[in-house]
């Protein structure tokens, strides 16, 4: 592998790759287009502006902005200057941002006008505990908080000359932070290096997805997610492709509009999104789109969803698993080697092990905890030694997921470690039961947890969301599962609900369902 431990700056690396295509479109967003030459110039101007504002090497800059080309300019500009952008979810509360401002000790915030009100609330809540000295906003700018005014980003960028040279960073230097999604509790700040996004593009974006400069990439996952950062920045900019950005939430209708208007060739989504799109009456016809391939991550992709999508659009969905800690996908299916219902095989450059409760590797066919080793692993969780020690173990990352490997080396998801159930003394994967329920034509989504029955024994309970206009009975769904799985796995209890609790990334929060069940009990 290439040695990046010496001089390496990821932003400078991307700029150098694309200097021969200055007029090629890098980003198309809701406001227009930005070419590669403009991307480099604006990023380097922003870099000089940050240093002129008195920010120093490795100080944090919070990036709270909807997906638009200024997001990429801000992220790359901060990296170029040797600062550390902290990319945060735009769907959180003021309380969440107050915590992140205090935890990261961000010295500045780069945002957009639509998010200034919640930012102002967060800064007010944090009070003297935050250290923000500057706020810039994509748009017209406006009132900030604590006497700070949000300066209009575009005019401020234009007022500075491009920074002549990048900061003398190394591949192992802290590059940026990403906060975990909080599907199991309070978010943790994962510290990534300048080299980490290089490796995700080198090992996955190119050799697995086969992205090239003629591709148009569109990701439902936003740039502030580890998955979205690869899809919408690291991967396409490494090959000179074009990226479509969308500020609004990725509803089926919003996604369809971009598919038809901008004709992306590669779409990046998640199982929940693909299920919602297939259930929409506005699903475009195959000839209206230009999809050659789709990618899925976030949760395991049910085979039934992938098969229906392929039948309609003729495009495969390449399912894989990644994590905030590993930055992108490390276990994946591949174009031409797809086994729907599995997560595929390890990506070249990564090592994967399944370990039992004794810490030793398990045999094929047995459920084990998933551990990963690879060059894109985060350095640590900032300011959280206990969680760091639990997750980062001697070069290995403990994922918190359980998997089964078959004799041919393909891995099948068995659920989160803290979601696994033991029924009649045997482990049951909630995901397996959920995926089976979702094969029923009336079921849109399902989530399974353990429920203690009158005898004090744990049995499976399923929360089911039905498709619009469809119906099903509890007895019908129980029988449906019994026909397809071992008898002890079928849900003894079924509750029909309007929606399931989820993180902003779309991951089901089963612990919320467990809390609800405990309160009812």
């Amino acid at each position: 592998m290439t040695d990046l431990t010496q001089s390496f700056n990821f932003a400078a690396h991307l700029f150098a790759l694309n200097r021969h295509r200055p007029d090629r479109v890098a980003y198309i967003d809701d406001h227009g287009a930005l070419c590669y030459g403009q991307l480099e110039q604006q990023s380097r101007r922003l870099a000089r502006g940050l240093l002129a504002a008195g920010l120093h090497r490795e100080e944090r800059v919070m990036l709270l902005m909807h997906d638009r080309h200024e997001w990429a300019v801000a992220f790359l500009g901060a990296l170029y200057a040797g600062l550390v952008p902290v990319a945060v979810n735009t769907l959180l509360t003021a309380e969440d941002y107050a915590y992140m401002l205090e935890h990261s000790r961000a010295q500045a915030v780069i945002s957009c006008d639509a998010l200034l009100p919640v930012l102002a609330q967060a800064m007010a809540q944090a009070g003297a505990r935050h250290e923000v000295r500057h706020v810039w906003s994509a748009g017209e700018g406006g009132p900030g908080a604590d006497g700070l005014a949000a300066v209009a980003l575009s005019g401020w960028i234009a007022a500075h000359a491009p920074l002549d040279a990048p900061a003398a960073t190394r591949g192992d230097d802290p590059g940026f932070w990403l906060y975990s999604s909080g599907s199991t509790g309070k978010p943790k700040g994962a510290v990534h290096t300048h080299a980490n996004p290089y490796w995700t593009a080198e090992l996955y974006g190119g050799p697995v997805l086969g992205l090239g400069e003629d591709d148009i990439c569109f990701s439902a996952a936003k740039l502030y997610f580890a998955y979205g950062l690869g899809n919408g920045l690291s991967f396409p900019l490494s090959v000179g492709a074009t990226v479509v950005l969308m500020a609004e939430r990725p509803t089926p209708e919003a996604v369809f509009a971009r598919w038809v208007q901008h004709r992306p060739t590669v779409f990046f989504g998640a199982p929940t999104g693909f299920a919602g799109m297939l259930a929409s009456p506005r699903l475009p016809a195959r000839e209206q789109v230009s999809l050659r391939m789709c990618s899925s991550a976030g949760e395991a992709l049910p085979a039934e969803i992938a098969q229906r999508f392929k039948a309609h659009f003729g495009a495969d969905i390449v399912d894989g698993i990644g994590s905030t800690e590993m930055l992108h996908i490390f276990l994946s299916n591949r174009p031409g080697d797809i086994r729907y219902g599995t997560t595929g095989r390890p990506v070249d450059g990564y090592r994967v092990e399944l370990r039992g409760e004794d810490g030793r590797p398990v045999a094929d066919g047995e459920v084990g905890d998933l551990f990963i080793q690879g060059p894109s692993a985060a350095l640590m969780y900032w300011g959280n030694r206990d969680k760091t020690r639990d997750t980062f173990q001697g070069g290995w990352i403990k994922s918190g997921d359980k998997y089964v490997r078959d004799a041919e080396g393909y891995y099948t998801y068995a659920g989160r470690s803290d979601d696994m159930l033991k029924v009649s003394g045997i482990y049951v994967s909630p995901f397996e039961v959920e995926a089976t329920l979702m094969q029923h034509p009336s079921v849109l989504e399902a989530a399974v947890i353990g429920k203690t029955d009158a005898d004090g024994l744990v049995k499976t309970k399923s929360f089911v969301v039905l498709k619009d206009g469809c119906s099903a009975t509890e007895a019908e769904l129980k029988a449906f599962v019994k026909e397809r799985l071992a008898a002890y796995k079928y849900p003894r209890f079924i509750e029909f609900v309007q929606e399931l609790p989820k993180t902003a990334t779309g991951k089901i929060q089963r612990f919320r369902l467990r809390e609800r069940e405990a309160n009812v009990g």
Side-chain angles (χ1 to χ4, degrees), residues 80-412:
Y80 196 81
L83 300 170
V84 178
V86 179
V88 298
N89 192 322
T90 60
L91 300 175
L92 302 180
T93 66
E95 182 179 359
D96 294 321
Y97 298 133
Y99 164 75
M100 292 174 175
L101 286 170
E102 179 184 359
H103 181 248
S104 68
R105 298 199 290 273
Q107 300 296 302
V109 180
I110 303 178
S111 188
C112 59
D113 288 358
L115 294 171
L116 288 181
V118 70
L119 173 61
Q121 293 175 39
M123 293 172 70
Q125 286 186 28
R129 298 189 306 277
H130 81 73
E131 301 179 20
V132 177
R133 295 181 282 134
H134 305 279
V135 178
W136 295 281
S137 179
E140 299 300 319
D146 296 343
L148 289 174
V151 175
L153 184 64
S154 60
W156 175 74
I157 289 174
H160 294 88
L163 187 63
D164 294 330
T169 53
R170 297 173 302 170
D172 285 342
D173 283 349
F176 57 96
W177 291 17
L178 297 173
Y179 277 95
S180 64
S181 63
S183 60
T184 57
K186 207 170 188 64
K188 303 175 289 293
V191 181
H192 280 283
T193 70
H194 274 265
N196 287 0
Y198 167 87
W199 287 120
T200 62
E202 188 77 6
L203 298 175
Y204 193 75
V208 176
L209 297 181
L211 297 180
E213 64 178 352
D214 293 330
D215 276 312
I216 300 175
C217 300
F218 176 37
S219 175
K222 301 299 185 180
L223 288 165
Y224 52 74
F225 296 135
Y227 181 47
L229 182 65
N231 306 339
L233 192 145
S234 306
F235 296 174
L237 299 193
S238 292
V239 297
T242 296
V243 182
V244 175
L245 296 178
M246 177 177 71
E248 64 187 292
R249 297 186 70 168
T251 63
E253 290 71 22
V255 170
F256 298 159
R258 274 74 179 182
W259 281 2
V260 173
Q261 179 182 1
H262 298 300
R263 311 286 288 204
T265 56
V266 182
F267 175 72
F268 302 84
T272 299
F274 285 114
M277 287 186 285
L278 289 171
S280 172
R282 296 186 176 89
L283 187 69
R286 180 186 296 198
E287 59 270 15
Q288 291 180 277
V289 305
S290 298
L291 298 174
R292 70 171 182 83
M293 180 182 64
C294 294
S295 167
S296 179
E299 286 194 310
L301 178 70
E304 184 265 346
I305 291 176
Q307 290 160 353
R308 287 171 52 208
F309 191 93
K310 175 69 178 290
H312 184 86
F313 288 110
D316 280 316
I317 302 178
V318 178
D319 186 33
I321 181 175
S323 68
T324 302
E325 294 77 10
M326 293 302 297
L327 191 56
H328 213 275
I329 291 171
F330 49 80
L331 184 62
S332 182
N333 283 276
R334 293 160 171 76
D337 181 18
I338 292 178
R339 294 199 181 185
Y340 289 134
T342 80
T343 315
R345 295 178 290 110
V347 173
D348 289 345
Y350 293 89
R351 294 178 61 197
V352 171
E353 281 189 4
L354 298 184
R355 300 178 185 175
E357 294 179 358
D358 60 0
R360 298 179 179 178
V362 300
D364 289 346
E366 294 184 13
V367 175
D369 291 302
L370 179 67
F371 284 75
I372 317 101
Q373 189 177 78
S376 63
L379 294 173
M380 61 179 169
Y381 296 130
W382 180 265
N384 196 333
R385 181 171 290 189
D386 287 344
K387 289 291 186 182
T388 295
R389 285 173 169 169
D390 183 54
T391 300
F392 300 83
Q393 300 185 6
W396 291 87
I397 297 290
K398 179 183 177 181
S399 73
D401 295 297
K402 285 188 179 289
Y403 265 83
V404 178
R405 184 185 62 225
D406 66 20
E408 297 178 86
Y410 291 84
Y411 290 72
T412 299

Side-chain angles (χ1 to χ4, degrees), residues 11-27:
H13 166 71
L14 291 181
F15 297 154
L17 289 177
N18 292 295
R19 287 210 176 103
H20 67 288
R21 52 171 75 91
D23 298 325
R24 186 173 184 82
V25 174
Y27 286 102

